[in-house]
Amino acid sequence: MPDPRPLRPNDPPELGGFRLTGRIGEGAQGTVYAGESDTGERVAVKLLHAELDGDEQARLYFERELATARQVAPFCTARIIAARADGDAPYIVSEYIDGPSLRQLVAERGVLPADELVRLAIGTATALAAIHEAGVVHRDFKPANVLLGPDGPKVIDFGVARPLEATSATLTGAIGTPAFMAPEQVAGTSGGPPLDMFAWGCTMAYAANGVPPFGHDSIPATMHRILHAEPELGALGGDLRELVAACLGKDPARRPTAVQVLTRLLGLRTGENLLAEGTSAAATLTPAVRTVPAPRLQPPITPAPPSPPVFPAPPFGGPPPGRPPGRRGRVLAVTGAAAGVVLLAGATTAAVLLRSDSGDTNDRATTSANTTRPVTRQTPGAGCAYLPSTGSEMKDVGTPPTSAADRGPVRATVKTNLGTIEMELDGAKAPCTVNSIVYLAGKAFYDNTSCHRLSTNAALKVLQCGDPSGTGTGGPAYRFGTENTSGVQYTRGVVAMARAEDPDSNGSQFFILYGDSPSLPKTYTVFGRITSGMAIIDDVAAAGPRAGLSDDDGPPKKKITITEFRTTPG
């Protein structure tokens, strides 16, 4: 999204409990503001021009349509957080996407190269497939409604156009942008998902050529060409050109569906997990094409110099490969010859190298695998100590209650883009850890976060998750001590806290073992076990990591995103 401008005197200071911090833009449908919750979550708030208070039927229609839109699966779409139809004007609160629109990108940097164009096509087709699967028609798909976020393209404003069309409540009285409207929209007849596919074809041609395929001069001339002329596809080539041409057919019944387009682009068989595969394939789009400046992007990975045999670092809360850690107070990032713990072949010691806050690397401790430094633990019966933790990647959501009693078992349901994982959390053996997990889940802290690290090393088979910043250095603005490490076994299915070397640096990051790791030092809090869904973890592990700490340690190739993390008493 564009950088917000200051609010005007007549702009509302808040909507729906979200404080408005700036004005992003204004269009025919309404005004878009940047906002944030009382916990610091960034959102986009769209205040619509429609007035529904005096029209009960229109208001109910609006609420029904947006309720359906909120059911759209979070595959390459911006999640709708809240919506309201009563009051002076309706509004919609959605996920904030930190990145430019496709329209802005093309205007500032020019057309997309062929490989990035394919990824864009995959991501947007994935979004439309998810939208159509929920029974929603976008009706205003265009480059301005495709945002290029840190994890790929995201489609916004779905589920908005049809309610506004029904109330004739836009400034122009028309829904859609002429250069991206389908013939049936131009003719004023009803339309379904095929009109979105026509707009998708127009958008892909725009990304490849810098102009829409039917021109963008006068509205009458553009509409005439949409109804009667053939599209100008310019630089489009290969399969993508054929798909775009098919989508731009005048007869909506002959256009391919979003699922058919996605199946062709991915080269998969119908029935496979297309939405998850499409999301993963599109996730690599943004780093190569985001508008400058983009200071939050991960820099290219520099190969590590030759060193003794290296196993990847245990699942500490360090940064992802190739990205230097920020200043994090006492939460230290673990580093070494390859930003990891170096295990000398045939030896029983591990040289633990810590990167200090200044970025220097210092040999701080050399410990035996069986006699590690003393671990600071929570004291049973004395309450839980949650201490402040500061850093640029920390997300302040408050602090859990300190008087947590032994909870007993807690069930955690973790919905992901690949399926649902069930956990049983041990509140008796790790009460303060489980107390923190329950608290963070209640704050939706884990929702829409992606697991950022996978190790497929023979000695360390883990998937690491729980960092809302996606950097490997993020967490809540508090830290707490280690629990439940005496005699634990790090075996398949175990869930444990990830942390830096400091035993008081537990935060939100956790790791799941998909294989036994008997050589892992017994210094990580075990707080639960997977009871269902290990096949999902196995599939992610089978795809392997992208280049990172080493060939067998880095961000997972098959992206897994937590869409919802909820807990209930066991």
Side-chain angles (χ1 to χ4, degrees):
M1 290 187 179
D3 291 334
R5 302 186 300 274
L7 295 174
R8 297 173 181 172
N10 60 340
D11 287 327
E14 66 89 27
L15 280 172
F18 293 88
R19 183 174 67 88
L20 303 187
T21 59
R23 175 187 281 257
I24 295 175
E26 185 169 6
Q29 294 179 352
T31 303
V32 182
Y33 299 96
E36 63 179 28
S37 69
D38 55 4
T39 61
E41 177 188 12
R42 299 178 73 189
V43 296
V45 183
K46 188 164 199 171
L47 179 62
L48 301 171
H49 295 309
E51 294 182 1
L52 306 178
D53 238 10
D55 189 338
E56 184 66 14
Q57 183 176 0
R59 184 183 64 81
L60 291 175
Y61 178 71
F62 183 89
E63 289 179 341
R64 183 173 68 249
E65 289 294 310
L66 285 179
T68 302
R70 294 179 72 175
Q71 301 305 309
V72 173
F75 295 100
C76 298
T77 60
R79 177 174 55 97
I80 295 178
I81 298 171
R84 184 174 180 179
D86 54 3
D88 293 338
Y91 62 82
I92 302 170
V93 182
S94 62
E95 175 187 4
Y96 184 91
I97 308 300
D98 187 11
S101 70
L102 177 61
R103 182 179 67 180
Q104 178 186 354
L105 179 75
V106 171
E108 294 180 358
R109 295 188 53 183
V111 300
L112 271 62
D115 56 343
E116 301 302 341
L117 189 63
V118 170
R119 294 190 186 101
L120 174 72
I122 290 171
T124 49
T126 298
L128 287 176
I131 291 168
H132 295 165
E133 187 177 80
V136 176
V137 181
H138 194 297
R139 303 181 76 83
D140 194 21
F141 184 86
K142 58 187 178 183
N145 283 337
V146 177
L147 301 183
L148 304 176
D151 54 352
K154 295 287 185 76
V155 173
I156 64 172
D157 275 1
F158 52 89
V160 178
R162 188 173 178 184
L164 295 188
E165 185 178 44
T167 60
S168 299
T170 65
L171 293 177
T172 64
I175 296 295
T177 302
F180 300 90
M181 291 172 67
E184 55 268 36
Q185 284 177 292
V186 172
T189 59
S190 61
L195 66 84
D196 284 345
M197 299 314 299
F198 189 94
W200 177 86
C202 292
T203 300
M204 294 306 103
Y206 170 85
N209 301 303
V211 294
F214 297 99
H216 59 100
D217 43 359
S218 70
I219 292 178
T222 299
M223 289 184 168
H224 178 81
R225 286 190 288 267
I226 288 173
L227 289 171
H228 304 293
E230 292 301 311
E232 295 289 341
L233 300 184
L236 278 169
D239 285 350
L240 185 55
R241 185 184 180 95
E242 293 181 14
L243 286 170
V244 168
C247 286
L248 294 180
K250 308 301 183 187
D251 182 359
R254 297 177 65 86
R255 295 175 202 149
T257 66
V259 167
Q260 289 171 333
V261 167
L262 187 57
T263 300
R264 175 82 172 271
L265 289 170
L266 292 174
L268 298 176
R269 298 183 302 276
T270 301
E272 297 195 39
N273 196 345
L274 292 176
L275 298 184
E277 292 292 341
T279 301
S280 179
T284 54
L285 166 71
T286 310
V289 301
R290 283 189 69 184
T291 187
V292 177
R296 298 179 184 177
L297 295 181
Q298 181 172 314
I301 296 169
T302 302
S307 60
V310 174
F311 291 109
F316 300 125
R323 176 168 179 162
R327 297 182 62 85
R328 304 177 54 213
R330 294 184 62 198
V331 185
L332 304 179
V334 174
T335 182
V341 175
V342 181
L343 301 182
L344 301 179
T348 60
T349 61
V352 182
L353 305 182
L354 300 179
R355 176 173 291 158
S356 69
D357 289 344
S358 64
D360 296 330
T361 301
N362 302 301
D363 189 351
R364 293 282 298 276
T366 302
T367 60
S368 165
N370 298 317
T371 58
T372 58
R373 58 173 278 183
V375 173
T376 303
R377 294 182 173 86
Q378 299 282 4
T379 304
C384 300
Y386 297 107
L387 306 176
S389 182
T390 59
S392 61
E393 305 291 356
M394 298 303 171
K395 180 178 179 181
D396 190 355
V397 291
T399 307
T402 60
S403 58
D406 289 357
R407 288 179 170 271
V410 171
R411 294 188 62 82
T413 299
V414 184
K415 296 181 180 180
T416 78
N417 60 312
L418 304 179
T420 299
I421 300 169
E422 299 282 350
M423 303 179 185
E424 183 176 276
L425 312 185
D426 194 339
K429 292 183 179 179
C432 297
T433 302
V434 173
N435 182 55
S436 174
I437 295 291
V438 171
Y439 176 82
L440 293 175
K443 295 289 186 179
F445 186 90
Y446 292 114
D447 293 3
N448 298 303
T449 65
S450 296
C451 298
H452 57 276
R453 183 176 176 191
L454 173 71
S455 171
T456 56
N457 187 274
L460 186 65
K461 297 181 177 296
V462 300
L463 176 68
Q464 188 167 324
C465 313
D467 179 0
S469 74
T471 64
T473 65
Y478 64 85
R479 54 190 170 84
F480 56 95
T482 299
E483 302 177 289
N484 191 32
T485 58
S486 178
V488 298
Q489 299 296 319
Y490 297 105
T491 56
R492 174 177 165 83
V494 159
V495 186
M497 291 303 297
R499 58 173 179 77
E501 191 266 348
D502 185 339
D504 290 318
S505 63
N506 295 285
S508 63
Q509 295 186 42
F510 60 89
F511 62 95
I512 300 168
L513 288 105
Y514 62 89
D516 296 350
S517 295
S519 61
L520 190 63
K522 306 298 189 290
T523 58
Y524 306 101
T525 297
V526 171
F527 67 92
R529 175 171 286 278
I530 303 294
T531 58
S532 175
M534 276 303 298
I536 296 171
I537 310 299
D538 291 339
D539 286 346
V540 174
R546 300 199 302 270
L549 297 177
S550 62
D551 291 340
D552 52 15
D553 197 310
K557 284 182 181 177
K558 188 167 189 176
K559 187 174 183 180
I560 176 169
T561 298
I562 296 172
T563 58
E564 184 178 81
F565 192 123
R566 296 294 180 264
T567 61
T568 55

